[in-house]
Amino acid sequence: MIPRALTIAGSDSGGGAGIQADLKTFTALGVYGMSAITSITVQNTIGVFGVYDLPPYAVYSQIKVVVEDIGVDAVKTGMLSSEDIVKAVAEAVREFRLRNLVVDPVMRAKSGDPLLKESARKALMEELLPLALVVTPNLPEAQEMCGFKINNLKDMEEACRVIHSLGPKYVVVKGGHLEGDKKVDVLYDGKSFYHLEGRHVPTKNTHGTGCTFSSAITAFLAKGENPVEAIKRAKEYVQKAIEHSLPLGHGHGPLNHMWMFYSL
């Protein structure tokens, strides 16, 4: 049977992030993708011009019918927007005993536009993180979750410890916002730290990087990889997707999720 992965996230009308990026990633990595849409964003490469949340029960119901009919081997969350949506998703994860949960704590778009309401942040940390196998904050998200500035690898390791104490089994603090030619992510499993190095790519076309990384982890988990290997392979996939990114639009263009099939 083909591995099955579910993304619970917002829709990006520009196609570079959110549900669209997740489904492209699942397909590229040989996984059958399903979706529960949380919000519809009016978005392109320049910015977010509107956000329309779905009713929390509609989000819960999408998850319910997919799980009961098709089944889910791994699941990720992206943009959850409101406190009530976060709680509806957490309820579904508990009720349907969803395993291999990857939480991407999406707080802002690449343009800087907010995607998670202030009231929802506490719910995400208290309701959803304890259910997560993996959580993947970038530096600004990790700083908001921890309450201190992150300037170097030592700070990233401390942030991993703090976030791990909230319940997830594996924490990846992404270092893409740090200066330098090497982009290092710090992975923590509660015992050991792993420094995952990537090459800096001089491009502005990085829209959807976080969504793509978390959905790639989800895809590899659905295929039976252990979490550390899934995270490492996801980083390699994203590295190539950035290297072959697409010069589309007037702002931050998208990654090339299908880089293994074609490049421009």
Side-chain angles (χ1 to χ4, degrees):
M1 179 182 294
I2 186 172
R4 304 153 297 177
L6 169 66
T7 170
I8 307 169
S11 169
D12 172 6
S13 53
I19 290 285
Q20 288 81 354
D22 296 340
L23 293 177
K24 291 173 188 176
T25 301
F26 292 161
T27 299
L29 296 176
V31 173
Y32 181 75
M34 301 161 287
S35 64
I37 298 176
T38 59
S39 305
I40 296 171
T41 69
V42 180
Q43 186 174 174
N44 57 22
T45 66
I46 298 170
V48 179
F49 302 92
V51 175
Y52 303 91
D53 293 343
L54 271 68
Y57 186 70
V59 178
Y60 170 89
S61 298
Q62 290 176 81
I63 300 168
K64 179 178 187 293
V65 297
V66 165
V67 171
E68 292 179 342
D69 178 38
I70 301 171
V72 175
D73 297 307
V75 56
K76 68 150 285 186
T77 64
M79 176 187 177
L80 300 181
S81 186
S82 72
E83 179 179 359
D84 288 342
I85 289 176
V86 172
K87 290 182 176 180
V89 171
E91 180 184 351
V93 170
R94 288 190 294 265
E95 181 175 344
F96 303 115
R97 299 181 181 179
L98 297 179
R99 58 194 180 91
N100 292 328
L101 172 64
V102 179
V103 174
D104 182 10
V106 176
M107 296 182 180
R108 293 186 183 274
K110 183 69 67 179
S111 59
D113 296 286
L115 297 175
L116 182 69
K117 296 180 178 68
E118 192 71 39
S119 59
R121 296 179 186 184
K122 185 171 183 287
L124 186 141
M125 289 189 286
E126 293 181 355
E127 298 271 350
L128 204 56
L129 288 195
L131 305 174
L133 177 64
V134 183
V135 61
T136 62
N138 60 28
L139 290 187
E141 291 161 350
Q143 287 174 167
E144 293 201 36
M145 296 167 77
C146 297
F148 58 80
K149 187 75 173 174
I150 300 174
N151 296 307
N152 50 47
L153 288 176
K154 183 177 179 181
D155 293 342
M156 291 172 70
E157 290 184 349
E158 182 57 29
C160 282
R161 289 192 185 94
V162 172
I163 296 170
H164 187 270
S165 72
L166 300 175
K169 294 180 174 60
Y170 295 82
V171 179
V172 187
V173 173
K174 298 175 292 189
H177 288 77
L178 287 181
E179 296 295 328
D181 291 335
K182 290 184 179 180
K183 299 301 180 180
V184 181
D185 298 341
V186 177
L187 165 61
Y188 182 56
D189 63 4
K191 296 180 181 178
S192 303
F193 290 101
Y194 304 81
H195 290 181
L196 310 179
E197 290 190 1
R199 299 175 299 281
H200 172 65
V201 181
T203 178
K204 67 175 183 175
N205 301 321
T206 55
H207 181 53
T209 301
C211 302
T212 301
F213 179 57
S214 57
S215 56
I217 295 171
T218 307
F220 287 120
L221 289 172
K223 296 172 80 169
E225 298 280 3
N226 68 66
V228 172
E229 187 63 25
I231 292 164
K232 289 180 178 179
R233 293 189 65 183
K235 186 171 178 66
E236 293 169 1
Y237 168 77
V238 171
Q239 178 77 45
K240 291 289 188 180
I242 296 173
E243 290 174 1
H244 297 282
S245 61
L246 304 174
L248 298 172
H250 297 89
H252 294 284
L255 311 189
N256 184 351
H257 299 89
M258 303 295 175
W259 59 263
M260 66 281 288
F261 304 114
Y262 73 91
S263 60
L264 298 181

